[in-house]
Amino acid sequence: MKKALAILMAVLMMFALFACNKTTSGTDESAVPSPSATESAAPESSAPTDGGGTESDTDSSEAPTGEVKEMGFYDPGYDYSANRTYKFVYMISQTGVLYDMFNAAFAEWAKLSNVEYSHYCANSDNDLFLTTIETYASQGVDGYLFDADNTIYPAVKGVMDDLGLPWISCMAEPLDDDGNRSHPVAGFDNYKFGTDMAEYVIGYAQETWPDADPSVVGMLSMDFSLSPQIHVRTEASKEIFLAAGYPEENFFVADGASTGLLNADTGYNISGPIFASNPQIEYWLICACLDDYADGATRVAEQNGLADKSIATTCGGSGLINHWDAGEDSSWKSAVYCAQTLFAEPIFFALYAFVNGDTTPEDIWPEWKQPGEAYAYHALPTFIIEKDTYKEYMEWVDQYTGINWSPYDDEYQGTQFEATMTPSF
């Protein structure tokens, strides 16, 4: 089931969301001893598998090989079942749509690579997060996928260095106390995220409300400044907004860092006061750093009677696709998107390469390591999805990955997208 030369995304329905503290391996569940007195916070782990991999849907006439073709990516011609059944865990600090989708994507890649996979949420308890790492180590976990609170990555790295176990971060770039990258990352060009969002909403506004005076048009950038890479998106959006001729005083920032939370209620709570205190703004251009914040802000716009005078976009898209699949429409019209299965692939298989002894964090993706950097930052391509185009992209992704997530195969027109990028430095 290698990457079919088709390059656009989709095929079965969006994977069901997975609850926190649940394993997604599809095997029997057994509780791991709780690292604290709170039994409900105990991680769960999959029962051992029989060591067999999941059969590919593509041509299997080629005999499995003992060496992957491209380090850090899935290779359907590689015999993963020849290796020991490794144990991976995806540990998150808090819940959210994107974390749920990552969980589902990792579970699918685990099936294809003979990996026993489990999922754990610390419910925003950083101390519990750190102690649970050690609990999993005592249970024989071989590799860790982390979406920790950004502020604790130095502590996470310290624990992992002590344990001597492989790990990789997922959505957040791990930085040390001096702000330097402390591990390899697969992610996105965050400046481009910000420019793409701003250009989309400005283009929409100019086409939809051509007579709107710039003085009554405001941009709301929904930020999470605790994360430097997320904050770059706000800076880029502001540059585009000002370059388009809008006044600087009409640029507003709703920063979720004040709460530390990344959910829809936070998006609602941080955007509501800005709408209420700026009645002079008649049209709102909303650029959200993640889906949940976009959900909250569009709810505020609707409650203020501005649903037809606002336009929202986001970095993410899984939550928006869920709305579209449910037949729901709102002022949230697009997302700068990379399918979760595509995003998850290099993360999962970089970890696999570390666990399997194929490469090291210092050596993986050498073409993506900039001069002076100790670790690579592997950038992935993104696409702007809208209600009329997302199914085409999703079907292509299904064909490329061989993971049948989306139910739109009858509507696929054969469009090809890019699955990889070339470094520009």
Side-chain angles (χ1 to χ4, degrees), residues 36-57:
S36 73
T38 307
E39 184 176 345
S40 62
E44 294 177 11
S45 150
S46 307
T49 66
D50 62 5
T54 299
E55 188 174 325
S56 166
D57 292 333

Side-chain angles (χ1 to χ4, degrees), residues 356-389:
N356 203 44
D358 299 324
T359 188
T360 67
E362 293 78 11
D363 295 331
I364 198 165
W365 305 319
E367 70 277 15
W368 285 98
K369 187 188 294 186
Q370 296 197 45
E373 292 285 357
Y375 301 99
Y377 189 106
H378 191 300
L380 301 169
T382 57
F383 302 92
I384 294 177
I385 58 169
E386 298 177 283
K387 191 173 183 179
D388 292 339
T389 62

